Amino acid sequence: MTDTIKCAVLGLGRLGLHHAKSLKQRAKHAELVKIVDPIESHVHQVAEELEVPEWTTEPDEAIEDPSIDALVIVTPTSTHGDLIKKAAKQGKHVFVEKPLTQTLAEADEVIQAIEDSGIVCQVGFMRRFDPAYVDAKERIDAGEIGEPLYFKSITRDSGSPPAEFIKHSGGIFLDCSIHDYDIARYLMNSEITTVAAQGRILINDFMKEFNDVDQSITYVEFASGAAGDIEASRTSPYGHDIRTEVIGSEGTVLIGSLRQQNVTVLNNKGSNYEIVPDFQTRFNDAYFIEIQKFVDCVREQSAPRVTAWDSKINMEIALEATQSFLAEGRRRTVHIHTESSL
Ligand SMILES: NC(=O)c1ccc[n+]([C@@H]2O[C@H](COP(=O)([O-])OP(=O)(O)OC[C@H]3O[C@@H](n4cnc5c(N)ncnc54)[C@H](O)[C@@H]3O)[C@@H](O)[C@H]2O)c1
């Protein structure tokens, strides 16, 4: 077993910086040796702050560096496919943020490259590592709520990312609801077979240019006979709100709360508590655990909990949801061309 995995992080934006800090400050058996971002002043500054020995504005310098074992790709979604294929060619293990790619054709090319090279590739569906979701999964699998019948999920982001991000994101279903499609399949132990999606711009008019919306709903049906609904919003004025419910034949499981800390203040104006402000705060533990598990998988050469194949299924659902939205909510069948891991 390799003792220390030498890593490089590509992309130091909202999430890349978080992953770089996890690797540098918390992960065991990992060493952050290089960081990459095209914005020179930024990558230089982060390298100094985190005391990372090497930095560059050129992704190829990390991909082709023989001293590096693994790449953590946190770049705009439109760049994922190319970077993974290049990494696989160099035999570098890959952690890549969701979604895997933007098109199924590119996902197939990426999967082929992973198979040909034998690298470990884990995709960033961090809810599968979040302690609350993990606990819920164990309880559902143990039969505590009977047969899962209905899945309900809310993903409300405290505000929209900038236009440049939306442009490369693939839209609200591929970028945002894909987290819910993934965790729905995982918790319900069943594949999604049909989707019907609708959405509307409530605040962010600039999204018209990208055929995108800032509020949406996907109605889903599962192979098991279960059903569900998934709300996504980029307009939450009060904070980052992630809640899921799985209703079963003998009970229900509720996951998530709005509280940042388990502290409530009572005074003559009433009661209040602090609300989770952003995704980095809500999923701080999950982001660290998923990165640690990736490092462990590379050391052990074992299969990750979320594979590229799983991620392609999530894309198949998201892309059908996008087509349904464009067809004003018409119900669409999800054709899964990948072997299910459930
Ligand atoms: N799992 C999650 O909860 C979650 C949350 C946010 C974002 N994401 C995903 O992470 C990825 C990045 O999102 P973000 O919000 O951090 O974006 P961002 O726009 O904040 O940051 C992207 C960074 O990548 C840099 N960059 C662009 N092209 C690059 C290249 N070829 N090589 C290296 N760096 C490059 C940019 O300069 C920027 O600093 C996206 O795929 C997004 O879907 C996942």
Side-chain angles (χ1 to χ4, degrees):
M1 188 187 293
T2 321
D3 196 44
T4 300
I5 305 301
K6 294 204 161 118
C7 302
V9 173
L10 278 65
L12 297 167
R14 297 184 307 165
L15 189 52
L17 186 56
H18 197 87
H19 284 325
K21 284 182 183 164
S22 285
L23 270 169
K24 179 73 193 173
Q25 297 163 353
R26 295 180 73 186
K28 290 199 178 82
H29 304 291
E31 193 183 339
L32 180 58
V33 293
K34 199 174 256 184
I35 51 176
V36 187
D37 198 286
I39 305 170
E40 186 170 341
S41 55
H42 181 53
V43 63
H44 185 193
Q45 187 193 339
V46 174
E48 282 195 346
E49 271 172 25
L50 298 186
E51 297 177 3
V52 181
E54 293 177 32
W55 61 269
T56 172
T57 56
E58 291 300 326
D60 287 350
E61 276 183 33
I63 296 170
E64 289 165 13
D65 182 339
S67 72
I68 289 172
D69 303 306
L71 303 171
V72 174
I73 299 175
V74 205
T75 55
T77 297
S78 53
T79 65
H80 291 180
D82 263 355
L83 292 171
I84 304 169
K85 284 185 277 177
K86 281 183 177 177
K89 230 181 208 163
Q90 297 294 328
K92 302 278 189 273
H93 303 290
V94 168
F95 174 93
V96 61
E97 262 311 324
K98 47 51 63 178
L100 184 64
T101 60
Q102 284 186 330
T103 67
L104 294 176
E106 198 168 30
D108 285 336
E109 288 172 16
V110 162
I111 286 175
Q112 190 63 55
I114 294 167
E115 282 179 351
D116 291 347
S117 62
I119 60 163
V120 171
C121 178
Q122 181 177 322
V123 187
F125 288 99
M126 74 296 177
R127 291 189 195 181
R128 293 201 196 191
F129 300 88
D130 177 75
Y133 279 100
V134 169
D135 186 40
K137 167 79 175 157
E138 284 169 6
R139 288 165 178 273
I140 292 167
D141 287 355
E144 288 189 32
I145 60 162
E147 195 60 36
L149 297 176
Y150 199 82
F151 176 88
K152 195 166 184 64
S153 201
I154 289 171
T155 295
R156 295 185 194 150
D157 220 337
S158 48
S160 170
E164 187 56 22
F165 177 94
I166 295 294
K167 185 177 168 187
H168 297 282
S169 72
I172 197 164
F173 302 101
L174 190 68
D175 181 61
C176 193
S177 292
I178 198 161
H179 279 298
D180 302 271
Y181 304 143
D182 179 68
I183 206 69
R185 301 171 48 230
Y186 194 56
L187 293 180
M188 302 293 281
N189 275 320
S190 182
E191 292 295 358
I192 291 172
T193 51
T194 71
V195 291
Q198 300 221 16
R200 196 164 216 203
I201 294 177
L202 301 185
I203 292 179
N204 299 282
D205 279 340
F206 76 86
M207 289 187 180
K208 258 189 216 137
E209 193 189 330
F210 309 112
N211 241 341
D212 204 357
V213 289
D214 56 17
Q215 180 80 42
S216 70
I217 184 93
T218 314
Y219 180 76
V220 296
E221 292 170 335
F222 296 84
S224 62
D229 65 84
I230 288 165
E231 180 200 314
S233 160
R234 301 206 196 258
T235 65
S236 166
Y238 53 86
H240 190 68
D241 188 358
I242 306 286
R243 284 174 283 154
T244 300
E245 181 171 11
V246 177
I247 302 162
S249 54
E250 288 164 39
T252 190
V253 56
L254 295 161
I255 307 153
S257 95
L258 289 168
R259 285 170 190 268
Q260 184 168 357
Q261 304 288 353
N262 196 8
V263 171
T264 306
V265 175
L266 306 177
N267 58 25
N268 61 7
K269 295 191 185 92
S271 72
N272 71 76
Y273 55 86
E274 281 188 15
I275 293 176
V276 175
D278 49 39
F279 62 82
Q280 295 93 335
T281 306
R282 168 63 184 86
F283 289 110
N284 186 39
D285 287 341
Y287 289 136
F288 164 64
I289 296 167
E290 71 173 350
I291 288 285
Q292 183 64 63
K293 293 281 185 202
F294 167 66
V295 170
D296 296 346
C297 286
V298 172
R299 289 183 75 228
E300 294 156 8
Q301 289 293 296
S302 56
R305 193 176 300 168
V306 199
T307 63
W309 289 263
D310 257 320
S311 306
K312 187 184 160 203
I313 294 176
N314 296 336
M315 284 178 63
E316 283 167 334
I317 299 162
L319 292 171
E320 287 301 344
T322 307
Q323 288 306 314
S324 168
F325 157 69
L326 293 172
E328 293 174 353
R330 188 162 344 133
R331 188 166 172 270
R332 291 184 66 98
T333 302
V334 178
H335 298 283
I336 295 178
H337 297 104
T338 312
E339 202 180 322
S340 169
S341 64
L342 301 178

